[in-house]
Amino acid sequence: MHPYQNPDCPVEERVSDLLSRMTTAEKVAQTLQFTIGKDTTPNNIGADHPFDPRVGSILSFYGGVTERNAYQKLAIEGTRLGIPIIWGADVIHGWQTIFPAAIAQASSFDPELTRQISRISAAEAWYGGVDWTFSPMVEVCHDPRWERVVEGYGEDPAVAGKFAAAAVQGYQQPTPEHPETIAACLKHYVGYSASEAGHDYAYTDISQRALHEWYLPPFEAGVRAGAQTVMSSFNDLNGTPAVVHHGMMTGILRNSWNFRGFVVSDWESVKQLEAQGFSSNPEHQAVSSITAGNDMDMVDGIYRHLEAAVESGRLEMRYLNLAVERILRVKFELGLFEHPYTPERDPAAVWLRREYLDFARRSAADTMVLLKNEDDLLPLLPERYRRIALIGPAADNSDALLGSWLALAAAGRKPVRTETYRDVIADYFPEAEIRCAPGCAYRSSPGDEATIAEAAALAARSDVVILAVGEPGDLTGENKSRADLRLPGAQEQLVAAVAASGRPVVMLTGSGRPIIYSGTAERVQSILHVWQGGIMAARAAFDLLTGAATPSARLPMTFPRAVGQVPIYYNRHRRARPESGQYSDLAETPYYEFGHGLSYTTFTYSELRLERRDGRIIIEFTLANTGKRSGSEVVIWFLSDPEAALTQPAKRLISFQKISLAPGTSQTVRLALKPEQDLSYTDETGQRVFEPGSFIISTGNRSIEFQA
Ligand code: GLC
């Protein structure tokens, strides 16, 4: 038994032993990743590219565990060194049990929820033959036109960092009930979310300051949490495409953060260097990418040119060794050499378990944001409503609830049938007469006058209207940017017609991004923003509508009044003339602020106080639930630093906590600050700078100024 085959040997010893035995061809094979079977990728392994069992990784394989193990067996028993393949997939918010999309998870302001979602997703995906997920996406985003905001955790770097770490822990840290572990992948590194004008795959012009203040911190948090892989991004970052950006992949990721896993390129991004105007020479593309720190090449096969590059001396072997060493390290750490095969289990035993579905329902309820609730229309007490109208294109559509990143759907396999609002409503209003009408399609515009009129007439005959609208699932996700963020198609027309009935209207809005509510929200009494709530979203929404659950979510991203305000985000920098400079034709404030969200109970913040103790600054206040229902309050702490050598945002989030209180009870909430750490800022070189001076801490509707 060679050291690399001995599980009792330390990982580093196994890595170096195995590396020393590999030929150049075997090393290059480890840096390649392909898909197998039907796919549009010309580099697919199939007729023109026979399966090479020495390949490093296969992704997006949904052919089932038996077939996956058969390929793995060829790698283990059919090659000289028996190096296992690592199988990757986009397990973005669930595998079979589909959970709320990431932006919805961030609305919970509860990273523990994401940790548990990732843990269950890992357990399900592992039994599907997956060793590695291309998740979490941790990019801060200021531009809702960029459709991938749905995959991220909103606009704040501290929030994104907490959720990134939680997702990594969920995927990678086994628990007694879920020993299955899959490698996490922080993506897309870095700055892709700043794509010009909200396009996809676009150029990004990001200052060093912005990189260190906004875009890098969530990745650092994920690396500190132990993420085993990172995915470099599609965008050209300030003239150097991310996949060949040595400063980011080696300078920051390895030299500053000591990341020891491997970096995979995004789908054909090495080949795309030609389109970006970097190089049309495949060998030059491959050499530039691997020497910059990108270790594995996703599906375009350009890294096949590395063998000739090494043979000719155009690539020093040390770069190839570095990449292969990192890939082998992750494979050893994942235990793939000891457990290369996926056990074949009864799907009912490992997928869609009752406790998973129950958790999906609870987590969806924790992510839906109550934006408006005039006259406390909600919760709807069933005994009060005899005639209910359920209207809208989302009333009987599950796709919009499931969202845009469904790994299995990518393989043409829909997850198990997901209940729609129409499927579940009668369970909540058993005595009521319920009538449904689509009102309009998701996208057709102008809407069909007759169907809108029919819906409006139904509303007029009802005691209350539940209006289900929003973005269809296929309008969000990759390559689905929008220049117009309003409700698509004729939906605004429908809202106006239904609201004109004069009956109370509750709007359920599904979306993968902030949408423009101006001109629509004013017409209805209550709005529950459900995002893309996953497989149990319909029941979760009605749990909230009827009070079986209490809303506690907050917006992790600003909702603009108009797309002309974009980019708009809460932690913006100050203006030279704060009272001037705003638009002449539109209010400066957003439609809904970052952090906005209502509850069915009320909370008060009182007795805000500050003291210094053991070199720390302790700030406390009393939080009380002054309403009649239990509820959870998201306490957000903001810091303002009014004078700094490098000007600071008018305010930025430095901490948040979610606190549950029974009615009539209260609790002391505390924030302990270490000045050098918590009152410092990151400058454009990435260094932390602490400048003594005056600071303002604010939370809820109170603030406190102090010297530090
Ligand atoms: C896609 C996405 C990336 C995904 C990868 C594999 O193009 O950009 O997020 O993980 O390809 O499907």
Side-chain angles (χ1 to χ4, degrees):
M1 177 186 280
H2 302 307
Y4 83 90
Q5 294 165 319
N6 178 357
D8 298 330
C9 267
V11 165
E12 293 313 313
E13 195 178 314
R14 300 180 79 182
V15 169
S16 54
D17 174 58
L18 178 49
L19 193 66
S20 68
R21 299 171 190 280
M22 295 172 75
T23 65
T24 303
E26 288 163 338
K27 290 176 184 176
V28 171
Q30 282 299 308
T31 68
L32 292 168
Q33 178 185 59
F34 289 111
T35 60
I36 290 182
K38 61 190 184 323
D39 194 293
T40 54
T41 310
N43 295 296
N44 236 352
I45 291 173
D48 49 351
H49 288 297
F51 172 66
D52 176 350
R54 300 171 303 172
V55 70
S57 174
I58 295 288
L59 86 158
S60 306
F61 180 74
Y62 305 110
V65 170
T66 308
E67 202 177 343
R68 179 249 194 230
N69 286 343
Y71 278 113
Q72 189 73 305
K73 192 172 167 66
L74 293 175
I76 302 298
E77 300 179 9
T79 64
R80 197 171 67 86
L81 296 166
I83 302 172
I85 295 165
I86 183 170
W87 297 72
D90 290 284
V91 188
I92 306 301
H93 48 99
W95 175 251
Q96 294 277 343
T97 304
I98 303 299
F99 293 97
I103 189 138
Q105 293 179 34
S107 304
S108 72
F109 279 82
D110 179 9
E112 175 56 18
L113 177 136
T114 288
R115 191 192 63 76
Q116 291 186 47
I117 285 175
S118 303
R119 186 89 296 270
I120 294 171
S121 303
E124 287 197 334
W126 194 82
Y127 284 110
V130 176
D131 310 309
W132 170 30
T133 176
F134 306 125
S135 170
M137 192 195 103
V138 301
E139 299 167 73
V140 161
C141 186
H142 294 151
D143 189 337
R145 294 171 297 179
W146 187 66
E147 71 313 318
R148 302 197 73 169
V149 294
V150 63
E151 299 170 55
Y153 299 116
E155 70 191 34
D156 182 80
V159 171
K162 292 283 186 196
F163 279 85
V168 167
Q169 288 154 7
Y171 290 129
Q172 296 185 180
Q173 287 175 4
T175 54
E177 67 274 9
H178 294 308
E180 310 81 7
T181 297
I182 61 177
C185 181
L186 302 171
K187 72 184 188 182
H188 306 79
Y189 189 70
V190 64
Y192 176 27
S193 56
S195 285
E196 226 167 27
H199 294 295
D200 205 343
Y201 317 120
Y203 181 80
T204 56
D205 189 355
I206 306 176
S207 69
Q208 287 305 308
R209 166 63 189 281
L211 278 168
H212 288 289
E213 181 175 329
W214 289 324
Y215 298 101
L216 289 168
F219 286 93
E220 182 174 7
V223 167
R224 301 270 179 245
Q228 290 179 291
T229 74
V230 166
M231 182 184 294
S232 54
S233 53
F234 284 131
N235 56 302
D236 177 342
L237 176 57
N238 301 335
T240 302
V243 72
V244 291
H245 205 296
H246 186 273
M248 291 296 123
M249 289 190 289
T250 297
I252 300 268
L253 194 56
R254 267 84 184 215
N255 298 347
S256 301
W257 299 343
N258 192 29
F259 172 64
R260 300 192 27 84
F262 71 84
V263 177
V264 63
S265 59
D266 200 344
W267 196 280
E268 298 193 328
S269 61
V270 180
K271 185 177 177 186
Q272 288 163 188
L273 287 168
E274 177 170 4
Q276 287 173 306
F278 179 80
S279 166
S280 61
N281 173 311
E283 184 185 285
H284 180 234
Q285 292 169 348
V287 169
S288 306
S289 177
I290 198 166
T291 52
N294 189 86
D295 307 303
M296 186 181 278
D297 173 20
M298 184 185 285
V299 306
D300 57 26
I302 300 293
Y303 273 26
R304 286 196 183 98
H305 294 275
L306 293 176
E307 191 168 353
V310 168
E311 307 301 357
S312 66
R314 288 187 291 275
L315 174 68
E316 290 175 56
M317 178 61 87
R318 67 186 177 94
Y319 289 108
L320 181 56
N321 285 344
L322 254 182
V324 177
E325 178 184 300
R326 293 161 178 162
I327 293 166
L328 295 179
R329 179 177 298 121
V330 170
K331 291 186 175 182
F332 280 119
E333 286 174 347
L334 267 180
L336 280 180
F337 282 79
E338 281 64 55
H339 310 290
Y341 302 111
T342 304
E344 306 212 19
R345 298 284 300 274
D346 168 11
V350 291
W351 293 339
L352 296 162
R353 288 159 53 150
R354 185 69 256 159
E355 68 268 28
Y356 294 173
L357 295 171
D358 291 345
F359 184 68
R361 179 171 175 173
R362 290 197 306 277
S363 55
D366 285 350
T367 64
M368 297 176 176
V369 189
L370 182 61
L371 296 177
K372 180 179 183 183
N373 193 26
E374 235 162 48
D375 309 326
D376 291 337
L377 174 63
L378 296 179
L380 299 173
L381 303 180
E383 56 273 17
R384 275 197 203 151
Y385 301 97
R386 308 287 306 153
R387 298 169 302 166
I388 299 175
L390 175 59
I391 294 172
D396 198 16
N397 178 307
S398 60
D399 288 352
L401 300 175
L402 286 172
S404 58
W405 250 121
L406 302 177
L408 292 180
R413 280 220 231 128
K414 291 292 225 184
V416 69
R417 166 151 172 64
T418 301
E419 290 176 311
T420 66
Y421 298 129
R422 181 173 191 167
D423 292 331
V424 307
I425 185 171
D427 293 348
Y428 292 83
F429 299 92
E431 309 302 321
E433 175 199 313
I434 298 166
R435 291 275 182 275
C436 298
C440 67
Y442 260 117
R443 294 175 164 193
S444 59
S445 175
D448 177 277
E449 291 302 333
T451 46
I452 289 178
E454 180 198 334
L458 173 60
R461 297 195 304 272
S462 307
D463 300 328
V464 66
V465 181
I466 296 173
L467 189 50
V469 294
E471 288 183 322
D474 64 0
L475 250 192
T476 72
E478 186 173 349
N479 198 14
K480 300 275 190 336
S481 291
R482 291 180 70 200
D484 179 354
L485 300 176
R486 312 186 74 83
L487 288 174
Q491 295 183 55
E492 289 191 344
Q493 204 183 332
L494 175 66
V495 175
V498 166
S501 70
R503 311 306 302 154
V505 177
V506 176
M507 189 152 88
L508 296 177
T509 316
S511 79
R513 74 185 87 216
I515 63 158
I516 303 290
Y517 272 108
S518 314
T520 302
E522 301 89 347
R523 299 176 187 274
V524 300
Q525 281 68 33
S526 300
I527 302 174
L528 186 67
H529 200 87
V530 300
W531 296 111
Q532 293 166 356
I535 196 167
M536 296 300 288
R539 288 197 181 275
F542 276 91
D543 289 344
L544 291 169
L545 293 189
T546 59
T550 298
S552 62
R554 303 288 198 89
L555 295 179
M557 198 169 168
T558 300
F559 277 48
R561 290 179 184 279
V563 73
Q565 287 184 313
V566 172
I568 181 171
Y569 44 93
Y570 88 90
N571 48 348
R572 52 194 173 278
H573 284 250
R574 299 172 172 86
R575 272 204 304 266
R577 296 183 182 180
E579 303 316 311
S580 311
Q582 55 271 55
Y583 303 121
S584 57
D585 58 354
L586 184 68
E588 179 180 21
T589 52
Y591 199 85
Y592 289 121
E593 288 273 8
F594 170 87
H596 175 69
L598 304 176
S599 173
Y600 291 153
T601 187
T602 50
F603 295 95
T604 57
Y605 291 58
S606 60
E607 301 156 6
L608 185 62
R609 51 201 179 271
L610 177 147
E611 63 170 315
R612 295 169 194 277
R613 203 185 312 152
D614 312 328
R616 305 225 278 185
I617 296 166
I618 311 289
I619 301 177
E620 293 180 343
F621 72 91
T622 303
L623 178 74
N625 177 345
T626 49
K628 298 184 177 55
R629 301 169 66 96
S630 292
S632 299
E633 174 71 345
V634 175
V635 173
I636 300 177
W637 297 92
F638 292 106
L639 169 71
S640 295
D641 179 354
E643 286 184 58
L646 194 65
T647 60
Q648 293 300 297
K651 68 178 185 179
R652 67 181 168 88
L653 179 147
I654 54 168
S655 179
F656 63 93
Q657 307 152 261
K658 191 161 195 176
I659 296 165
S660 298
L661 286 175
T665 64
S666 62
Q667 172 180 323
T668 297
V669 183
R670 173 174 303 124
L671 177 70
L673 297 173
K674 292 182 197 143
E676 289 71 21
Q677 175 186 304
D678 300 313
L679 302 181
S680 60
Y681 59 79
T682 306
D683 70 13
E684 65 276 19
T685 68
Q687 295 307 310
R688 296 295 291 174
V689 176
F690 172 59
E691 291 175 22
S694 76
F695 297 85
I696 298 167
I697 291 281
S698 54
T699 182
N701 48 13
R702 295 171 185 280
S703 64
I704 198 164
E705 180 161 356
F706 61 96
Q707 292 284 332

